[in-house]
Amino acid sequence: QVQLVESGGGSVQAGASLRLSCAVSGPPFNSYTMGWFRQAPGKERDFVAQIPWIGGRTYYAESVKGRFTIATDNVKNLLTLQMNSLKPEDTAVYYCAVRRYYSTTFRGDSREYDYWGQGTQVTVSS
């Protein structure tokens, strides 16, 4: 069973940076695709970024391109999301997710992901 635990959320001013981490444990996961999603109050869970666990092609939502960077650390078994130039509209609960199949194509539908973390709150004030 894959387990995901997010950390690194918080409350910051607009323009600040945060780095989210997701500790991954469980069966060998070299074939996995990793994702970050976010959900604002009263809204659906939206795709943020995607990367194969072993590294490679990344995908980003248009709203975060150039500001957010997704990465994996295969030694520490971490998925990270570096978030720079944060905006109030980035306020949401952020979730990491695992899709059990390797993919180099865009996988932005949350229904394609099999395991989820509990989420970490990010609040950006103006």
Side-chain angles (χ1 to χ4, degrees), residues 2-124:
V2 175
Q3 291 186 319
L4 307 171
V5 180
E6 299 101 333
S7 60
S11 296
V12 297
Q13 298 278 353
S17 298
L18 281 175
R19 182 174 180 266
L20 304 184
S21 294
C22 175
V24 184
S25 61
F29 30 81
N30 284 341
S31 63
Y32 291 169
T33 299
M34 311 299 294
W36 284 99
F37 289 76
R38 65 187 182 184
Q39 188 167 18
K43 296 188 176 181
E44 295 185 349
R45 191 168 295 189
D46 291 332
F47 171 81
V48 175
Q50 170 195 335
I51 188 172
W53 175 255
I54 59 173
R57 179 160 187 180
T58 57
Y59 292 89
Y60 295 93
E62 284 296 325
S63 59
V64 307
K65 274 184 182 178
R67 301 188 297 122
F68 290 12
T69 303
I70 188 172
T72 58
D73 184 331
N74 300 147
V75 175
K76 297 181 179 179
N77 287 351
L78 285 179
L79 172 71
T80 61
L81 185 68
Q82 178 66 42
M83 306 187 295
N84 298 329
S85 302
L86 282 163
K87 304 175 180 180
E89 51 263 44
D90 294 319
T91 295
V93 177
Y94 285 70
Y95 299 90
C96 62
V98 167
R99 184 176 185 270
R100 287 179 292 174
Y101 305 100
Y102 179 80
S103 178
T104 58
T105 57
F106 177 64
R107 299 291 177 178
D109 188 337
S110 61
R111 295 171 295 181
E112 296 189 82
Y113 289 78
D114 303 293
Y115 300 100
W116 294 84
Q118 83 287 353
T120 186
Q121 176 71 46
V122 172
T123 302
V124 185

